[in-house]
């Protein structure tokens, strides 16, 4: 029996450690903060389970205070000393990291932490997971190199079982190199000298780091694709360490009630019958549960839980022969904000899970039914919340290699010239590899209905080839080849950008083969004193002096947008959800503290868009 004084001493020591962590960290001062910044606790940073589409109980969160050091980019050895502490998973440039330093191509960012394995991960095999690290990351465990990963937006993991020492205490170290806009890699809107529509760099760990315990033979990934017309769900999985005769048992459930089940070989595809399916939509985001068991001679080796939804996105012609966007075989006008997913305190990383959810819920409250996730990829929990709330997602590929772009975008007639950029084999390779990794990671989220390989002409290359590859790789979704870019008559969607007023290409010329959308418009600006990134030189595509002026102009934009729907327009994207750094054209301020037009008012205004009918 443990004596009470020892228990009290242990509890006191634990409290003192947590308190020491909290008091040794504070956000970098000088910039506005969101309301959730005050809730950030270094001892309990983003503790939520990070992978809602493949759930196991055996895991350990590693977010919190790590050590960091900045060295020359040529350094090959782990530094003997470190510069201080950094709060993971916030990028080093962010206020919430507690550091607020810029790195760049000439330096390496090093991380180190000492951990104790929890009971949940102290047996079997151990995987070390990173939600995202920007950009090239080399990982060491107990001084031994585990592996290297390139890509700033896709999750990755390493099996570290062989590197673990006896006992609970382990050491994890990693180096990160990120050239930002000095390299050809996908990097979105990050630049080393932020201005206008270009923002602060994001270097290093920016999503949750965690450990997971798995058996020697385990389910690594699942792929589930709904087929509404056939009333079925296609399912397959990747299994590590499988043997001949191993099987997967897949069970689909409506709540706790079994709808369908099937047992297949580990390398086979199941087709689960989902009769009289409850369809997922923006008004009824219904999801089914999924249980997957890995069997060997009838014995369960591994189990994971997931979910899926029965949802169909398609392109169909109206009575005039114009292509339209259909959800579950019905025309649904899609309207949403350009959502860049930036935070004044965390940059790429929302300060808390509550904050991550807030933007999605507020978007729905404003009366939008769609979000265009603009040249950034979010943590898996963000898409999970879109699935739960019921909001459609257009997912952009983060841009890269932007120099020397040629752009020929005409609102009336489109030249069709091939203005594709010539990119090096290295540059092409980075784009292709990360685009595939992003699509793989996000495939199971039903809210995603459109893939967008390119934004405008930013690094746009081999457009037809990339678009057709995307269409073939995931035929369950639509592909918007180049939102506002150079149009080469490929993909399902023709997407125009036009500021500030709505416009669209001529449907008589282009509408027979592609659905017509307005991928960006608006950008109405209103800086709110005390809630801007900087005091002066903020801007929008068209700026206003007060909220009344802004509201009246916005109402006129929506009225004009509404009139385009009967003519052939299938969707619109307004710029944007929030202000971002010096851009003040958001529906909300960057700190999320002020709605520039009340959400209830916006919801009322937007209803006119969804009442439009087509013949």
């Amino acid at each position: 029996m443990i004596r009470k004084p020892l228990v009290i001493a242990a509890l006191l020591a634990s409290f003192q450690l947590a308190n020491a962590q909290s008091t040794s960290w504070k956000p970098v001062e000088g910039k506005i903060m969101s309301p959730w910044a005050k809730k950030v606790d270094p001892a309990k940073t983003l503790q939520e389970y990070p992978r809602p589409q493949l759930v196991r109980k055996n895991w350990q969160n590693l977010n919190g205070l790590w050590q960091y050091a900045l060295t020359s980019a040529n350094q090959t050895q782990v530094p003997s000393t470190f510069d201080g502490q950094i709060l993971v998973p916030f990028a080093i440039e962010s206020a919430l990291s507690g550091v607020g330093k810029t790195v760049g191509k000439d330096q390496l960012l090093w991380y180190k932490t000492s951990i104790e394995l929890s009971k949940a991960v102290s047996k079997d095999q151990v995987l070390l997971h990173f939600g995202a690290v920007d950009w090239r990351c080399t990982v060491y465990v107990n001084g031994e190199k585990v592996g290297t990963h390139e890509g700033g937006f896709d999750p990755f993991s390493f099996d570290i079982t062989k590197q673990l020492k006896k006992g609970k205490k382990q050491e994890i170290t990693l180096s990160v190199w990120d050239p930002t806009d000095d390299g050809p890699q996908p990097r979105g809107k990050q630049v080393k000298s932020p201005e206008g529509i270009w923002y602060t760099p994001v270097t290093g760990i920016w999503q949750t780091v965690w450990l997971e315990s798995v058996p020697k033979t385990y389910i690594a990934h699942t792929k589930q694709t709904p087929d509404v017309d056939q009333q079925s769900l296609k399912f397959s999985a990747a299994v590590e360490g499988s043997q001949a005769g191993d099987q997967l048992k897949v069970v689909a459930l409506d709540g706790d009630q079994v709808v369908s089940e099937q047992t297949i070989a580990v390398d086979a595809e199941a087709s689960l019958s989902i009769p009289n399916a409850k369809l997922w939509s923006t008004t009824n985001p219904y999801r089914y549960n999924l249980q997957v068991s890995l069997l060997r001679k009838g014995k369960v080796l591994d189990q994971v839980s997931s979910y899926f939804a029965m949802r169909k996105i398609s392109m169909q012609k109206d009575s005039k022969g114009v292509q339209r966007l259909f959800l579950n075989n019905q025309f649904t006008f899609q309207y949403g904000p350009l959502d860049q997913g930036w935070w004044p305190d965390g940059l790429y990383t929302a300060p808390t899970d509550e904050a991550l959810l807030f933007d999605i819920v507020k978007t729905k409250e404003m009366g939008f039914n769609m979000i265009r996730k603009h040249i950034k990829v979010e943590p898996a929990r963000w898409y999970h919340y879109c699935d739960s709330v019921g909001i459609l997602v257009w997912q952009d590929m983060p841009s890269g290699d932007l120099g020397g772009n040629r752009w020929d975008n005409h609102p009336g007639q489109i030249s069709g010239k091939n203005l594709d950029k010539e990119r090096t084999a290295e540059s092409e390779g980075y784009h292709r590899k990360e685009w595939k990794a992003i699509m793989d990671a996000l495939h199971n989220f039903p809210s995603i209905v459109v893939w967008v390989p390119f934004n405008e002409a930013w690094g746009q290359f081999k457009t037809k080839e990339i678009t057709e590859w995307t269409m073939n790789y995931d035929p369950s979704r639509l592909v918007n080849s180049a939102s506002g870019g150079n149009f080469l008559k490929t993909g399902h969607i023709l997407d125009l950008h036009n500021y500030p007023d709505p416009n669209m290409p001529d449907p008589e010329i282009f509408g027979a083969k592609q659905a017509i959308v307005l991928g960006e418009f608006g950008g109405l600006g209103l800086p709110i004193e005390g809630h801007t990134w900087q005091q002066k030189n903020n801007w929008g595509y068209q700026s206003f002096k007060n909220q009344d002026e802004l509201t009246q102009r916005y109402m006129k934009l929506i009225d004009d947008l509404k009139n385009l729907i009967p003519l052939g327009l299938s969707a619109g994207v307004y710029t944007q959800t929030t202000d971002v750094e010096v851009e003040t054209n958001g529906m909300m301020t960057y700190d999320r503290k002020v709605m520039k037009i009340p959400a209830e008012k916006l919801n009322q205004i937007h209803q006119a868009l969804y009442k439009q009918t087509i013949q």
Side-chain angles (χ1 to χ4, degrees):
M1 180 179 293
I2 299 175
R3 295 177 181 177
K4 289 184 179 180
L6 292 179
V7 174
I8 293 172
L11 290 172
L12 181 60
S14 176
F15 171 78
Q16 288 173 337
L17 176 61
N19 189 54
Q21 284 188 322
S22 299
T23 56
S24 64
W25 168 88
K26 66 176 182 178
V28 179
E29 298 179 350
K31 296 293 185 181
I32 56 174
M33 296 280 187
S34 72
W36 300 275
K38 295 179 180 179
K39 297 183 179 182
V40 174
D41 181 353
K44 298 178 181 178
T45 309
L46 291 168
Q47 294 294 296
E48 295 77 15
Y49 189 78
R51 195 183 56 195
Q53 277 279 13
L54 189 71
V55 178
R56 285 190 186 90
K57 294 180 180 179
N58 300 335
W59 76 290
Q60 180 179 350
N61 193 305
L62 300 184
N63 293 340
L65 288 171
W66 294 35
Q67 291 179 281
Y68 84 93
L70 292 173
T71 70
S72 163
N74 298 321
Q75 175 118 357
T76 57
Q77 300 295 320
V78 175
S80 56
T81 60
F82 281 72
D83 300 339
Q85 291 185 312
I86 183 170
L87 184 56
V88 169
F90 298 105
I92 189 171
E93 295 90 350
S94 72
L96 289 179
S97 72
V99 181
K101 292 182 179 179
T102 301
V103 182
K105 66 180 177 63
D106 297 324
Q107 290 183 302
L108 279 182
L109 169 60
W110 292 84
Y111 293 84
K112 185 172 78 170
T113 186
S114 295
I115 66 166
E116 288 193 7
L117 294 179
S118 72
K119 290 182 179 180
V121 296
S122 60
K123 59 180 181 179
D124 299 325
Q125 293 193 124
V126 176
L127 306 180
L128 173 59
H129 292 275
F130 295 88
V133 180
D134 196 354
W135 173 73
R136 179 184 294 147
C137 169
T138 301
V139 179
Y140 305 82
V141 174
N142 294 319
E144 187 176 341
K145 182 178 175 180
V146 175
T148 297
H149 176 267
E150 292 179 335
F153 300 93
D154 58 307
F156 61 97
S157 63
F158 296 109
D159 185 337
I160 63 170
T161 309
K162 294 180 180 179
Q163 288 78 29
L164 295 177
K165 298 187 301 184
K166 291 183 178 180
K168 293 183 177 181
K169 292 187 177 181
Q170 314 292 331
E171 184 178 273
I172 299 171
T173 308
L174 61 150
S175 65
V176 180
W177 180 70
D178 180 18
T180 310
D181 52 330
D182 285 323
Q185 81 290 348
R187 44 91 177 174
K189 284 200 169 185
Q190 306 173 56
V191 294
K192 60 181 180 292
S193 301
E195 62 175 347
I197 64 170
W198 308 104
Y199 315 137
T200 302
V202 170
T203 302
I205 299 169
W206 66 273
Q207 288 187 31
T208 291
V209 185
W210 55 294
L211 295 174
E212 180 182 31
S213 182
V214 296
K216 290 184 178 180
T217 303
Y218 67 96
I219 302 162
H221 304 285
T222 66
K223 183 177 182 180
Q224 42 247 29
T225 308
D227 188 329
V228 167
D229 294 335
Q230 297 299 318
Q231 298 187 70
S232 66
L233 177 78
K234 288 181 169 47
F235 174 91
S236 60
V239 176
E240 293 290 334
S242 63
Q243 297 180 8
D246 287 352
Q247 295 179 307
L248 289 168
K249 182 180 179 181
V250 190
V251 182
L253 302 104
D254 183 349
D256 295 328
Q257 184 175 356
V258 174
V259 174
S260 182
E261 64 179 82
Q262 194 172 347
T263 301
I264 59 172
V266 293
D267 57 352
E269 181 180 78
S271 181
L272 298 173
S273 175
I274 313 294
N276 303 311
K278 300 174 182 177
L279 300 184
W280 183 98
S281 69
T282 58
T283 56
N284 182 35
Y286 188 81
R287 295 168 297 145
Y288 290 85
N289 294 320
L290 195 68
Q291 292 181 351
V292 186
S293 302
L294 176 61
L295 308 176
R296 178 173 295 163
K297 297 180 180 179
K299 180 183 177 182
V300 176
L301 299 181
D302 188 24
Q303 268 188 330
V304 296
S305 60
S306 185
Y307 66 88
F308 68 94
M310 298 300 292
R311 180 271 302 135
K312 177 185 177 183
I313 186 71
S314 61
M315 184 176 71
Q316 300 181 33
K317 287 185 178 181
D318 63 18
S319 61
K320 298 178 182 178
V322 176
Q323 297 284 5
R324 299 283 192 166
L325 299 182
F326 276 58
L327 179 66
N328 299 331
N329 295 318
Q330 292 185 333
F331 172 66
T332 302
F333 185 76
Q334 299 183 30
Y335 183 54
L338 193 75
D339 191 302
Q340 310 210 53
W342 284 74
W343 296 83
D345 34 33
L347 299 180
Y348 264 8
T349 311
T352 67
D353 194 64
E354 180 186 5
L356 190 73
L357 175 60
F358 173 85
D359 276 7
I360 299 166
V361 171
K362 188 58 67 174
T363 298
K364 195 74 181 286
E365 289 177 356
M366 290 186 238
F368 294 108
N369 65 1
M370 175 262 281
I371 290 172
R372 179 181 168 204
K373 179 49 63 177
H374 190 42
I375 55 175
K376 183 203 174 190
V377 179
E378 293 289 356
R381 293 188 65 83
W382 187 89
Y383 301 94
H384 168 65
Y385 284 139
C386 288
D387 294 346
S388 306
V389 170
I391 200 151
L392 303 168
V393 176
W394 295 12
Q395 179 60 54
D396 287 11
M397 170 63 184
S399 304
D401 202 355
L402 272 61
N405 299 285
R406 298 177 297 165
W407 193 15
D408 187 15
N409 179 347
H410 300 286
Q413 293 187 350
I414 295 167
S415 66
K417 296 177 183 176
N418 189 345
L419 300 177
D420 279 347
K421 179 178 179 173
E422 293 289 331
R423 291 173 69 162
T424 66
E426 178 189 41
S427 175
E428 280 195 31
Y430 289 144
H431 181 101
R432 291 176 187 271
K433 180 177 69 173
E434 193 151 6
W435 185 223
K436 178 181 180 297
I438 289 167
M439 291 179 66
D440 286 342
L442 301 182
H443 179 86
N444 290 343
F445 295 103
S447 53
I448 299 175
V449 293
V450 174
W451 297 119
V452 188
F454 297 108
N455 175 71
E456 296 180 351
W458 297 358
Q460 186 179 345
F461 74 99
K462 295 185 177 178
T463 308
K464 285 190 175 183
E465 184 179 333
I466 298 295
T467 299
E468 289 171 9
W469 179 89
T470 305
M471 293 168 68
N472 290 330
Y473 195 63
D474 184 7
S476 71
R477 292 181 170 94
L478 301 180
V479 178
N480 182 359
S481 63
S483 182
N486 295 317
F487 306 109
L488 300 178
K489 299 180 181 179
T490 184
H492 301 104
I493 293 170
L494 184 64
D495 179 328
L496 176 73
H497 292 181
N498 199 75
Y499 286 99
D501 294 283
N503 205 336
M504 73 176 189
D506 189 340
E508 292 189 5
I509 299 175
F510 305 105
K513 293 185 177 181
Q514 293 174 296
I516 295 172
V517 308
L518 179 60
E520 291 182 29
F521 81 106
L524 306 181
L526 177 65
I528 304 292
E529 187 175 352
H531 300 276
T532 55
W533 181 250
Q534 60 189 32
Q535 290 186 347
K536 297 180 179 179
N537 300 321
N538 296 292
W539 72 280
Y541 287 91
Q542 183 178 5
S543 293
F544 296 86
K545 296 179 181 178
N546 56 60
Q547 291 172 299
D548 287 341
E549 287 184 4
L550 175 70
T551 301
Q552 291 303 312
R553 183 70 172 99
Y554 183 76
M555 290 175 66
K556 177 63 166 60
L557 292 185
I558 297 304
D559 195 50
D560 292 343
L561 183 69
K562 176 190 69 176
N563 294 334
L564 296 178
I565 299 173
L567 303 180
L569 190 69
S570 280
V573 178
Y574 179 81
T575 301
Q576 59 186 329
T577 308
T578 72
D579 296 346
V580 183
E581 299 202 356
V582 301
E583 287 189 69
T584 56
N585 46 29
M587 290 295 191
M588 293 182 281
T589 53
Y590 196 18
D591 57 13
R592 277 73 167 174
K593 293 180 180 178
V594 179
M595 282 291 308
K596 298 181 186 180
I597 304 174
E600 299 80 4
K601 177 70 172 177
L602 287 169
N603 194 309
Q604 181 183 7
I605 294 170
H606 295 158
Q607 294 312 306
L609 300 173
Y610 308 127
K611 294 177 181 178
Q612 295 297 298
T613 58
I614 62 169
Q615 301 296 321

